[in-house]
Amino acid sequence: MPLLVENLSKQFGDLWALRDVSFEAADGEVFGIFGTTAAGKSTLLNCIAGHAKPSSGKISLNSLPVKKHDVDFAEPWKPLSSGLFGRKHANASNGQERVDHFRANVAGAGRVTLFDEPFLAIDPSIRGELQSELRNMAVENRIVLFSSSDFEQIAAVCDRVAVIDAGEVHQIGTPREVYEDPSSIAVAAAVGVNNLILARRLTSSTAEMPEFITIDGEHRLFAHPSGIAKLGAINSNVTLAVHPEQLSISFGASFPEDNLLKAVVTGIQFLGPTTLVELDASGLKLEARVFRVVGLNIGDECMIAIPPDRIQVLKN
């Protein structure tokens, strides 16, 4: 039976830390709570764990009010030397302490377990192993809530995720759904690097391929068909969102239907497996993520292709 959170709100004085938060986490599921710093993630987990009293709303498990003993809260890391899980070994590093702390929480976990940023400062070399251990908890028919401000960790661990911003849930879906089809500007900005382009629609709401003109650079862009609600009024601004890895850079021929723009390379950032290329298309600033940079230098002119089916239309 599920863990059900209904219209949960938490107020500190005049500040709403949570407002009408609702979601359901099922048996055998790792459910993600994702948001940037101060989005309300920890407050939400504290309310579910019974460490904080909600201002309003309900939390139930198996259709009954949740009790403290129903939930294990693997709180943010504390040094083992504090006596929480035993003495610190003389040769143990802080990273090893964090690993030991995580595994102690997994070993002692019950029916519902909450994790708040458990992989902070843990080396990537071991993080994958710990993520598998966390997923195995759900396989044992437990309910696992996993909170993080790192979307890559959310994508690696969670079956579904609630995206929280300013104490409100903006979207719930699989990590892939919220990444590829964000429901709002807040979600698009939170889940990863995104080119957010302010634009105005030129065509009618019934057009087969809606056309927009960008405010910066005045480029005409075709986008994938969207619902009328997202398109807004024809004289109103919308935001077009496209991930950097969905832009392609070319010095030669490209498909004309891919929204070709002429641009100048203004920056190149090497990021290990990928490189982020900063571009200026007549005042429209964009970023493209590529695997390799060959024959491309700052100041070079190039063509950018933005496939219409990769552009998401977000109403302002």
PDB file of all heavy atoms in Angstrom, residues 215-227:
ATOM      1  N   ILE A 215      13.115  37.101 -29.126  1.00  0.00           N
ATOM      2  CA  ILE A 215      13.240  38.508 -28.736  1.00  0.00           C
ATOM      3  C   ILE A 215      14.666  38.987 -28.958  1.00  0.00           C
ATOM      4  O   ILE A 215      14.896  40.075 -29.481  1.00  0.00           O
ATOM      5  CB  ILE A 215      12.821  38.688 -27.260  1.00  0.00           C
ATOM      6  CG1 ILE A 215      11.374  38.196 -27.052  1.00  0.00           C
ATOM      7  CG2 ILE A 215      12.960  40.144 -26.841  1.00  0.00           C
ATOM      8  CD1 ILE A 215      10.340  38.834 -27.917  1.00  0.00           C
ATOM      9  N   ASP A 216      15.636  38.163 -28.559  1.00  0.00           N
ATOM     10  CA  ASP A 216      17.044  38.475 -28.833  1.00  0.00           C
ATOM     11  C   ASP A 216      17.430  37.889 -30.182  1.00  0.00           C
ATOM     12  O   ASP A 216      17.258  36.693 -30.427  1.00  0.00           O
ATOM     13  CB  ASP A 216      17.955  37.888 -27.750  1.00  0.00           C
ATOM     14  CG  ASP A 216      17.748  38.545 -26.394  1.00  0.00           C
ATOM     15  OD1 ASP A 216      17.370  39.728 -26.368  1.00  0.00           O
ATOM     16  OD2 ASP A 216      17.956  37.873 -25.371  1.00  0.00           O
ATOM     17  N   GLY A 217      17.926  38.721 -31.060  1.00  0.00           N
ATOM     18  CA  GLY A 217      18.393  38.258 -32.364  1.00  0.00           C
ATOM     19  C   GLY A 217      17.337  38.189 -33.439  1.00  0.00           C
ATOM     20  O   GLY A 217      17.650  38.100 -34.627  1.00  0.00           O
ATOM     21  N   GLU A 218      16.057  38.184 -33.048  1.00  0.00           N
ATOM     22  CA  GLU A 218      14.934  38.129 -33.989  1.00  0.00           C
ATOM     23  C   GLU A 218      15.070  36.982 -34.994  1.00  0.00           C
ATOM     24  O   GLU A 218      14.925  37.149 -36.206  1.00  0.00           O
ATOM     25  CB  GLU A 218      14.778  39.471 -34.712  1.00  0.00           C
ATOM     26  CG  GLU A 218      14.427  40.609 -33.762  1.00  0.00           C
ATOM     27  CD  GLU A 218      14.134  41.903 -34.493  1.00  0.00           C
ATOM     28  OE1 GLU A 218      14.493  42.005 -35.692  1.00  0.00           O
ATOM     29  OE2 GLU A 218      13.523  42.802 -33.884  1.00  0.00           O
ATOM     30  N   HIS A 219      15.343  35.800 -34.487  1.00  0.00           N
ATOM     31  CA  HIS A 219      15.438  34.601 -35.320  1.00  0.00           C
ATOM     32  C   HIS A 219      14.066  33.921 -35.381  1.00  0.00           C
ATOM     33  O   HIS A 219      13.360  33.844 -34.377  1.00  0.00           O
ATOM     34  CB  HIS A 219      16.462  33.617 -34.749  1.00  0.00           C
ATOM     35  CG  HIS A 219      17.842  34.175 -34.652  1.00  0.00           C
ATOM     36  ND1 HIS A 219      18.660  34.355 -35.746  1.00  0.00           N
ATOM     37  CD2 HIS A 219      18.563  34.589 -33.565  1.00  0.00           C
ATOM     38  CE1 HIS A 219      19.822  34.852 -35.348  1.00  0.00           C
ATOM     39  NE2 HIS A 219      19.781  35.010 -34.029  1.00  0.00           N
ATOM     40  N   ARG A 220      13.743  33.409 -36.534  1.00  0.00           N
ATOM     41  CA  ARG A 220      12.494  32.659 -36.685  1.00  0.00           C
ATOM     42  C   ARG A 220      12.776  31.184 -36.426  1.00  0.00           C
ATOM     43  O   ARG A 220      13.649  30.594 -37.062  1.00  0.00           O
ATOM     44  CB  ARG A 220      11.912  32.859 -38.079  1.00  0.00           C
ATOM     45  CG  ARG A 220      11.354  34.275 -38.277  1.00  0.00           C
ATOM     46  CD  ARG A 220      10.894  34.493 -39.713  1.00  0.00           C
ATOM     47  NE  ARG A 220      10.288  35.795 -39.871  1.00  0.00           N
ATOM     48  CZ  ARG A 220       8.983  36.031 -39.938  1.00  0.00           C
ATOM     49  NH1 ARG A 220       8.137  35.015 -39.852  1.00  0.00           N
ATOM     50  NH2 ARG A 220       8.518  37.248 -40.099  1.00  0.00           N
ATOM     51  N   LEU A 221      12.019  30.600 -35.504  1.00  0.00           N
ATOM     52  CA  LEU A 221      12.211  29.206 -35.128  1.00  0.00           C
ATOM     53  C   LEU A 221      10.890  28.454 -35.199  1.00  0.00           C
ATOM     54  O   LEU A 221       9.865  28.950 -34.725  1.00  0.00           O
ATOM     55  CB  LEU A 221      12.760  29.100 -33.701  1.00  0.00           C
ATOM     56  CG  LEU A 221      14.112  29.746 -33.395  1.00  0.00           C
ATOM     57  CD1 LEU A 221      14.437  29.591 -31.915  1.00  0.00           C
ATOM     58  CD2 LEU A 221      15.207  29.122 -34.246  1.00  0.00           C
ATOM     59  N   PHE A 222      10.927  27.291 -35.802  1.00  0.00           N
ATOM     60  CA  PHE A 222       9.787  26.387 -35.774  1.00  0.00           C
ATOM     61  C   PHE A 222       9.955  25.442 -34.594  1.00  0.00           C
ATOM     62  O   PHE A 222      11.069  25.012 -34.274  1.00  0.00           O
ATOM     63  CB  PHE A 222       9.689  25.579 -37.067  1.00  0.00           C
ATOM     64  CG  PHE A 222       9.213  26.389 -38.246  1.00  0.00           C
ATOM     65  CD1 PHE A 222      10.134  26.947 -39.128  1.00  0.00           C
ATOM     66  CD2 PHE A 222       7.862  26.609 -38.465  1.00  0.00           C
ATOM     67  CE1 PHE A 222       9.710  27.699 -40.212  1.00  0.00           C
ATOM     68  CE2 PHE A 222       7.428  27.366 -39.545  1.00  0.00           C
ATOM     69  CZ  PHE A 222       8.352  27.911 -40.423  1.00  0.00           C
ATOM     70  N   ALA A 223       8.846  25.097 -33.942  1.00  0.00           N
ATOM     71  CA  ALA A 223       8.875  24.192 -32.797  1.00  0.00           C
ATOM     72  C   ALA A 223       7.894  23.059 -33.013  1.00  0.00           C
ATOM     73  O   ALA A 223       7.005  23.124 -33.869  1.00  0.00           O
ATOM     74  CB  ALA A 223       8.537  24.937 -31.507  1.00  0.00           C
ATOM     75  N   HIS A 224       8.074  22.009 -32.224  1.00  0.00           N
ATOM     76  CA  HIS A 224       7.158  20.876 -32.262  1.00  0.00           C
ATOM     77  C   HIS A 224       5.787  21.337 -31.792  1.00  0.00           C
ATOM     78  O   HIS A 224       5.677  22.176 -30.899  1.00  0.00           O
ATOM     79  CB  HIS A 224       7.693  19.770 -31.355  1.00  0.00           C
ATOM     80  CG  HIS A 224       7.033  18.451 -31.566  1.00  0.00           C
ATOM     81  ND1 HIS A 224       7.147  17.738 -32.732  1.00  0.00           N
ATOM     82  CD2 HIS A 224       6.240  17.708 -30.749  1.00  0.00           C
ATOM     83  CE1 HIS A 224       6.458  16.605 -32.625  1.00  0.00           C
ATOM     84  NE2 HIS A 224       5.898  16.577 -31.445  1.00  0.00           N
ATOM     85  N   PRO A 225       4.705  20.826 -32.372  1.00  0.00           N
ATOM     86  CA  PRO A 225       3.358  21.232 -31.940  1.00  0.00           C
ATOM     87  C   PRO A 225       3.161  21.054 -30.441  1.00  0.00           C
ATOM     88  O   PRO A 225       3.593  20.060 -29.851  1.00  0.00           O
ATOM     89  CB  PRO A 225       2.440  20.295 -32.732  1.00  0.00           C
ATOM     90  CG  PRO A 225       3.240  19.922 -33.938  1.00  0.00           C
ATOM     91  CD  PRO A 225       4.666  19.861 -33.476  1.00  0.00           C
ATOM     92  N   SER A 226       2.535  22.035 -29.805  1.00  0.00           N
ATOM     93  CA  SER A 226       2.263  21.996 -28.370  1.00  0.00           C
ATOM     94  C   SER A 226       0.787  22.263 -28.138  1.00  0.00           C
ATOM     95  O   SER A 226       0.078  22.741 -29.022  1.00  0.00           O
ATOM     96  CB  SER A 226       3.098  23.046 -27.632  1.00  0.00           C
ATOM     97  OG  SER A 226       4.481  22.828 -27.802  1.00  0.00           O
ATOM     98  N   GLY A 227       0.329  21.971 -26.943  1.00  0.00           N
ATOM     99  CA  GLY A 227      -1.052  22.266 -26.601  1.00  0.00           C
ATOM    100  C   GLY A 227      -1.305  23.761 -26.603  1.00  0.00           C
ATOM    101  O   GLY A 227      -0.396  24.571 -26.396  1.00  0.00           O
TER     102      GLY A 227
END
